[in-house]
Structure formats: C-alpha cells, structure tokens
Amino acid sequence: MKDILRVPMFMLMLFCLVAIAFVTIYILVARHHKFAARLEKIFVGILFFTITSSSGVTPMLFQKLHPIIFSNLKTTAPTIIGQLAIYSGMIILLVPRLSKTTKNLVPVAIKWILGDGFFCLFLLMMTLSGLWSQTPEHSYRAILSMWGITLVSMYVGKQYSWLEIYGLLRWLSCLLALWGVVQTNPSSDGCWTGILSHKNPFSFQMANTASLWILYAAKEKKYRYLSLFITLIALVGLQKGCSGASRILTVILITFWVYLSVLKRLPVKWAFLCFLLFLVGSICIAIVVLNNLEAIVVDGLKKDMTLTGRTNFWPLIIDRINHNSPIFGYGMGGFWQSWRGLEDPAYGIIDVKSGFVPPHSHNGFIDILCELGWGGLLLFIFSFFNNIFRGVKYLIKESFPESALALYLLTFMLMTNMTEGGLLAIGTYWCWYVVLSVKLSLDTTVKDNQH
C-alpha cells in the first residue's frame, strides 16, 4: 500500500477524487439545510465519540483524531498538521451553515456570562494558568486543546435542543456499548475494557448507556424492544467490566429518573433541596457500600476497603498542593508530569501499601485542585451548584424527560468523578458540562424574561 501511495499518478488521482468529493459536499451543504444539519451532527458525533470519557476510545483512527495529541510535546509535526487539516476540512465544509448559525454569538456569550459567571471566571483562570505554570509551553498547548473542544461544546449548547442532545447522548452510548461487547479487550484480570483504556471508564459508560436507553424504552413504545436490547447489551458489558462502583451507579441513575418525575411537581426551592438530598444520599450510599460493608465489598463487588488505594494517596496530593501552590495550582497539565523525573510536581506521590504510582488523581475535583488550586476548585463548585439550581428550575417548567437531562449529566459527572478523573480534561465530561452550562443560560434566561 505504501508503494502505491508513492506513485505520483495515483496520488494525483486520489487528490482529484478527494477534491471533487469535497466540493460536492460543500455545494450540498450550501443548498440543502437538512443535509447540512445532519452532516454537522455527524462531525460533532465523531469528535465527542473520539474523546469519550476522559481518555478517549482506543481504535487507532480515533487516537489520531484525539485533540490531546496536540498538547503532547512528543507529537510529531506531520501528525499535528494532519489533525488540523481534518478538523479544518470539517469546518470549511460547514461554512455555509455556520455563517447562518453563528450570527448571534455576542448576545449568546453575554447571556452565558450573566447566567454562569462563575464558570466563565473559571475559564478565564484556566486560560491564564500558563502564566504560573512551571512548563508554560506544555500548559499553553493543553489550554489551546481545551479551548478547541470548549468552542465546539459552546456551539452545541447554543444550537441544539435538549431533544437533539438527548438523541446524541443515546446513539453515542449505543455505539460505544455495541462496539465494546464485540471488541471486549479483556484486561489481565479478565475484566472487559471495550474500546476504552480501562475497565472503570468502560463500566461507567455502560451504566450511562443502560440508564439512557431504559428511559427511552419507557418513553417510546415504538422502539421499546430495540431500547431494551441495547439496555441488555449495556448490562452485560457492565457485569463483565467488574466495577462495583458502576453497578451502584446504574441503580442510582435508573432510580434518578423516577425520583425526578416526582420532584417535578414540587416548588423550585423544595425541588432544589430534595435534589441535593438525593445527591448526598447517593454519595453516602456509594461510600457505605464501597468502604464499610466488607462482606458486600469484598465478596459481592470485588473492591478493596480503600477504593483501590485512592484514599491512600489523596491526602498526599492535597498536602502537596497546600504546601506549594494552594490558590492557583500548577496550571493546565502542570502537575502530573512523570517525564520530568525528580522535578515532577507529583514526584513521590504513591500508594505506600501497594506501591502504585498514580498517573492522575482518580478524582475529577482533586484534578482541578492540582491544576487551578483552591481558587479554581471553588469557582467550579459554585458553578456546579448554580447549574443544579437552574437545572431544577428548567425541570419544573419544561416537559419531562428532556428537561431533566442537565440534572442527569450533573449527577453522572459527580458520581463518576468521585473515583475517576475527567472534569478538567480533554474529554466528554468537560464537553457536556460546557453544553449544559450554555444551554441552561440561554433557556432559563429566555423563560425568566417571558415570565
């Protein structure tokens, strides 16, 4: 194949075919609104599928498309150029549509700032974090990569309805489940990892798939059998993923839909309070089951009593931050730098019982603390509670279950980031948080003005 690609005539023919296809698609996008909208959703779906969870999917094609390679100092120039060419090509193809859908960006940005000012300040802090990073080049690359997916997520939040977001969530999770049970990739202990890098994120995504599709089965009778089939596939993947936390999460997420259907009938303040109680109760249940009930943990869920050593090194991480950079952290991508050897800010952080050297905090909130300090973490927490309150307001005023998606995503992010990372990473946790932040800012502002 490589020899064929070196033939000038073949390369010329290939270039001509690509150019013809490119021009044809561009013309179709310019002339047909529905085709343009569908192509845009395909491109968004490709990006979001590529960066699934916090580490992305493993097939080689998608690894080459993952924006994280741009922040890696070892990435070669041809790889970066190729990735930029692909994403630039996608944008150019959509120019006729984007010229119409991006006209009101300034009013949208203003509404977003007014609706979620804490998160906008968080973004500003993230953008400036290269100034105090020990490795500014690495941090600025990470910041640019983050802003790339942030801009796409802002657009999705502005342009797509909750119904469209619900559909995108379902079908991305379906593809992940079906591909994962076909390409199981069992780890050394026999647990499935699917097309993700580890059994835990795979199991979390199976919990997500099961809860999304079982709701769709209850809502859409026409597609009930298909929905139940996908749910069953996800439950098989969940079982084979061997994650005790994910099994608990599945029960919580399915219970969540029933709970919110009741919550919808309450006044906003009471609904907000009851939702917080649900989150606190869910976290307490997870902690009790995973940490204290030894018979269940060891025999039933196959977990140890320290969340697989996480609680052994979390205090070490927090202590390191408090002693060296408590307010601002180490900047984007500035803390976990094993390639720096003794100069690594995380050097010496280890689970002393097992000898495990963590590559990240295994907690999304502690990861924020590492990179943006207590200042960044507090801004994010304020934003998180603000979005919960706005999500509750939107739930009560609009039709169920689409109106509950923001609260669902917040619950899923919170529960999964208690034992894994991804809140501040080039992945879908960050993308969906930006989407719901923008979407709630627009929807609650419009509804409040109308009332």
Side-chain angles (χ1 to χ4, degrees), residues 50 54 56 128 203 275 283 302 338 355 409 423:
T50 298
S54 59
L128 297 176
S203 298
F275 182 76
I283 293 171
K302 299 179 181 179
S338 58
L409 288 169
L423 273 180

Side-chain angles (χ1 to χ4, degrees), residues 2-3 37 50 58 91-92 107 120 147 184-185 203 216 257 271 306 330 334 340 379 402 406 443:
K2 292 182 179 180
D3 293 334
T50 298
T58 55
I91 295 173
I92 292 171
C120 292
W147 265 110
T184 59
N185 290 328
S203 298
Y216 197 64
W257 295 119
T306 58
Y330 284 82
R340 293 180 63 191
L379 284 175
E402 289 82 8
D443 290 348

Side-chain angles (χ1 to χ4, degrees), residues 118-139:
F118 291 119
F119 188 59
C120 292
L121 288 174
F122 179 86
L123 284 173
L124 177 62
M125 189 174 182
M126 179 192 79
T127 304
L128 297 176
S129 67
L131 296 176
W132 57 82
S133 170
Q134 296 178 5
T135 53
E137 181 183 356
H138 180 71
S139 291

Side-chain angles (χ1 to χ4, degrees), residues 176-333:
L176 192 69
L178 294 177
W179 200 339
V181 297
V182 172
Q183 188 175 333
T184 59
N185 290 328
S187 56
S188 57
D189 57 3
C191 298
W192 289 5
T193 63
I195 55 172
L196 295 177
S197 59
H198 193 272
K199 64 180 182 180
N200 287 340
F202 172 73
S203 298
F204 284 143
Q205 291 302 321
M206 293 304 98
N208 179 43
T209 304
S211 56
L212 285 172
W213 281 95
I214 201 169
L215 172 68
Y216 197 64
K219 180 188 175 186
E220 297 290 341
K221 295 182 179 179
K222 183 178 179 181
Y223 302 104
R224 179 162 296 172
Y225 291 112
L226 172 63
S227 301
L228 290 175
F229 171 74
I230 296 172
T231 302
L232 179 61
I233 292 294
L235 291 176
V236 171
L238 178 72
Q239 178 65 23
K240 295 294 186 179
C242 311
S243 170
S246 298
R247 296 168 192 172
I248 299 171
L249 177 63
T250 305
V251 175
I252 291 173
L253 291 178
I254 293 175
T255 306
F256 170 87
W257 295 119
V258 180
Y259 185 78
L260 284 194
S261 65
V262 176
L263 212 66
K264 185 174 173 61
R265 304 171 187 175
L266 299 176
V268 173
K269 292 182 180 179
W270 283 106
F272 177 69
L273 177 61
C274 290
F275 182 76
L276 291 182
L277 290 175
F278 176 84
L279 290 182
V280 172
S282 299
I283 293 171
C284 289
I285 290 172
I287 292 174
V288 166
V289 173
L290 290 175
N291 268 358
N292 297 321
L293 298 183
E294 186 169 1
I296 296 177
V297 173
V298 177
D299 299 330
L301 296 179
K302 299 179 181 179
K303 300 286 283 188
D304 62 32
M305 303 303 293
T306 58
L307 292 176
T308 318
R310 290 171 175 81
T311 54
N312 292 331
F313 58 77
W314 282 345
L316 300 177
I317 299 172
I318 296 173
D319 185 65
R320 185 70 55 86
I321 298 298
N322 287 339
H323 278 82
N324 294 280
S325 188
I327 304 299
F328 298 105
Y330 284 82
M332 284 297 297

Side-chain angles (χ1 to χ4, degrees), residues 1-16:
M1 187 64 183
K2 292 182 179 180
D3 293 334
I4 296 176
L5 291 176
R6 292 192 183 100
V7 178
M9 184 58 67
F10 178 82
M11 288 299 297
L12 178 61
M13 292 174 59
L14 182 62
F15 176 80
C16 291

